[in-house]
Structures are given as C-alpha cells and as structure tokens.
Amino acid sequence: FLLSGALIATASSAPIGVSNIVNLIALKIIGMDLYLQTEMMFVPGVLGLLFLSYLLFLVFKKDIPKEIRFHSYSIPLHKNRPYHPLQQGSETLFNQQKKLMLNMLIFVFLVRISLFVASFIGISVSLVAVCGSVILLIWRWIHLKVNPKDVVGKIPWHILIFAFSMYVIIYGLHNIGLSNLLISYLKPIVNDSLIHASLTMGVITAFLSNIFNNHPALMISTLALTDMGLEPLLTKTVYLSNIIGSDIGSLILPIGTLATLLWMHILKTNKIKITWMEYIKVTIVVIPLTLIFTLISLYLWLLLVFAA
C-alpha cells in the first residue's frame, strides 16, 4: 500500500502543471500557461496513471490479503485496547478522521483552483501557494493545537542540502557545455518527427533524473530545449515529454525525486523499513513501461487534437 501510494502520488504531478514546483519553473521558461499545459497533458497523463495503477495491481496481486486482519501493532485507542480504523466499535474516531481528511482534500482542491485563477488574472502562482500553506498552518494551530514551529524541526534538511548540491552540479555541467552537447546530438532526432521528439526527450530526462534527481534534470533539459530553435508544436511536445520523464520516469531509483526521498525519510522515522532493493524490484518493472506508454499516449493525443 505504501509503495503503490508513493509511486502514484508522485506520478500524479504529471497531468497538471501546478502539481510540482519544477513543472512550474519549466513552464515559465517555455512561456506556456497552465491552461494550455493542462489541455495538452491531462489526458495522456491520466492514462499513464491508470496504466501505472493496473501494473501495480498485477505486481502486488498475490500480496493483497483477502481480508484485513487485526494486528497488535495498531495505533492504541485506549491504554489496553489497540485500535484499527475498520475495527467494530471504532466508528466515532473513524468518522472524525474521515471528516478531517475530507476537509483537507477540499482545501487542497480549492488551493489548486485558486492557482489557475491566479494564473488567469496575472497574480503570482507562487504567492498564492505560500498563502495557502500559511492558512493551513494557522488552521492546524487553531483546531489541532499544534504550533507551526514543529515544522522547522521536522524538515529533513539533509535532503534539501542534497537537492541543492544536485542543482550546483547540474548547472556546473550546463556551464561547461552539457546543454550544447545535448543539443548537438538530440536536435536532429527531435526534429525528425513528433514521436521521436516525445520518446527521445522523455527517456533522456528520465535517465538524467535517476542520476541527478528530477529537479535539476528537468532544468537542464528545458534549458537545452530553449536553444534548439524548434517550431512551436515541437517545442511544446518536447517540454511535455520532459515533464513525463521527470515526474514518472524519475521513479526508477529513490534518488530520482525529492518526494521519494522525503517519503523514505518519513518511513524511517516511523520505523517502517523499505530498502532500495525492495523499491527497485517494483519500479524496474512498472516505471519503464508506464513511461513509454505515457509518452506514446502524449504523441497520439497531440497528433489527434493539436497537429490537425
């Protein structure tokens, strides 16, 4: 459940531009708005997520229990009585938790809508996102009596330092000619056709993401794209392929995304052990297939709707 949820949640940042900060940065570099990006990416992105979900079901089918059993390590409800959310007699607490979760989902949905509204009327999307975060922290403080100061202590600073180091490395490579090298080798292939543009840039970005992390990898791919001098539809195709490679293809290794590193940090904090080997045994099966499927879906969608 945890591994499937982590993979699907991270891959879900592909269909909509506001789902990942690096998507927004690359979007600004290319000069697309959120509406066009969603129009071009939403259908192939969602198809890719459905495909990934089905592959995960096939991989874990034998491990899914026929019934949920009560275990002694469940969260205590009372001192001498363990609690499980599906256990009989726990309806009150279960309903409280369900109400809290629904409220959070509604809030996140409203913040997402406000980001599109902000983009439409020319307000900074980043400013709206920060305001949403502040409101959430204040609400948490008032209703759950949790001081926002605890966030500073819970932040895994070592992961952020790692991400910053990857940015330094990738920009150093950009400064010594990595972008020019990519352009010289990839421009003839990308210019050949939409399908070559989609598959080539998606796979290259996925490869770079699993080595350097997807944030700096998408940056270098986007910077290279801006210097290729491609015609408009081809430019958008390459950009969207980069997003797919960055958001989905990067999931083969845990190092590929900050979200996965943070997820593994949370598991470790809660004494839940998922090793790199256990992670890779699943991702090496489902992620490459999902990446290719989503890139082909993008090509077919753009060819059907935008290339006519």
Side-chain angles (χ1 to χ4, degrees):
F1 172 78
L2 289 171
L3 186 51
S4 298
L7 293 175
I8 292 172
T10 309
S12 295
S13 57
I16 302 177
V18 296
S19 299
N20 191 318
I21 185 172
V22 75
N23 292 8
L24 285 171
I25 296 172
L27 195 70
K28 188 177 182 66
I29 294 174
I30 295 300
M32 287 177 64
D33 59 48
L34 287 176
Y35 298 93
L36 180 59
Q37 197 269 359
T38 303
E39 185 181 357
M40 300 180 81
M41 179 68 95
F42 188 79
V43 171
V46 170
L47 288 175
L49 288 174
L50 294 174
F51 185 74
L52 174 60
S53 301
Y54 180 67
L55 289 180
L56 287 169
F57 171 72
L58 293 180
V59 169
F60 290 120
K61 186 177 181 180
K62 293 181 180 179
D63 300 322
I64 299 174
K66 300 295 182 183
E67 59 182 13
I68 298 177
R69 297 181 181 275
F70 176 70
H71 294 285
S72 59
Y73 56 73
S74 299
I75 302 171
L77 178 59
H78 298 296
K79 191 171 183 179
N80 299 318
R81 195 179 96 189
Y83 161 73
H84 188 282
L86 299 182
Q87 170 186 351
Q88 289 186 352
S90 62
E91 288 84 2
T92 301
L93 183 57
F94 176 75
N95 288 332
Q96 290 174 353
Q97 293 178 336
K98 185 173 75 171
K99 182 179 179 181
L100 177 64
M101 179 60 71
L102 287 174
N103 287 337
M104 289 299 95
L105 291 174
I106 291 171
F107 178 80
V108 171
F109 177 74
L110 291 176
V111 171
R112 290 298 174 87
I113 295 298
S114 68
L115 294 175
F116 277 88
V117 174
S119 176
F120 181 74
I121 62 179
I123 298 176
S124 170
V125 172
S126 303
L127 177 62
V128 175
V130 169
C131 291
S133 300
V134 171
I135 292 171
L136 184 59
L137 286 173
I138 294 173
W139 181 91
R140 178 172 172 257
W141 194 1
I142 294 173
H143 290 275
L144 301 182
K145 312 300 181 187
V146 180
N147 195 305
K149 291 181 180 178
D150 74 319
V151 173
V152 177
K154 292 179 179 178
I155 293 174
W157 295 103
H158 61 287
I159 294 177
L160 298 182
I161 293 172
F162 161 78
F164 176 76
S165 301
M166 289 296 100
Y167 270 109
V168 172
I169 291 172
I170 202 72
Y171 269 100
L173 291 172
H174 167 67
N175 290 337
I176 64 174
L178 178 59
S179 297
N180 293 331
L181 185 66
L182 288 174
I183 292 170
S184 63
Y185 280 101
L186 297 178
K187 186 174 179 179
I189 302 173
V190 170
N191 263 317
D192 189 49
S193 66
L194 277 179
I195 185 64
H196 288 166
S198 180
L199 290 174
T200 301
M201 292 308 298
V203 171
I204 290 294
T205 305
F207 175 76
L208 293 174
S209 295
N210 283 286
I211 297 177
F212 297 108
N213 185 263
N214 67 337
H215 283 218
L218 183 58
M219 289 296 95
I220 197 71
S221 297
T222 305
L223 290 171
L225 166 62
T226 57
D227 292 331
M228 284 187 182
L230 305 175
E231 56 97 9
L233 179 59
L234 207 51
T235 299
K236 294 177 175 63
T237 302
V238 171
Y239 161 71
L240 297 174
S241 301
N242 288 344
I243 293 295
I244 292 171
S246 168
D247 293 352
I248 297 177
S250 59
L251 294 170
I252 296 175
L253 298 179
I255 199 176
T257 71
L258 279 182
T260 306
L261 291 173
L262 292 171
W263 170 75
M264 296 194 85
H265 172 77
I266 293 170
L267 293 184
K268 184 178 179 181
T269 303
N270 289 276
K271 297 179 172 55
I272 299 173
K273 187 176 181 180
I274 295 181
T275 65
W276 273 47
M277 185 58 66
E278 290 171 327
Y279 178 91
I280 295 171
K281 280 172 64 177
V282 175
T283 56
I284 200 68
V285 174
V286 302
I287 296 303
L289 291 174
T290 303
L291 173 65
I292 298 302
F293 176 86
T294 310
L295 290 172
I296 292 175
S297 298
L298 173 67
Y299 160 70
L300 294 174
W301 175 250
L302 296 181
L303 189 67
L304 179 67
V305 178
F306 295 92

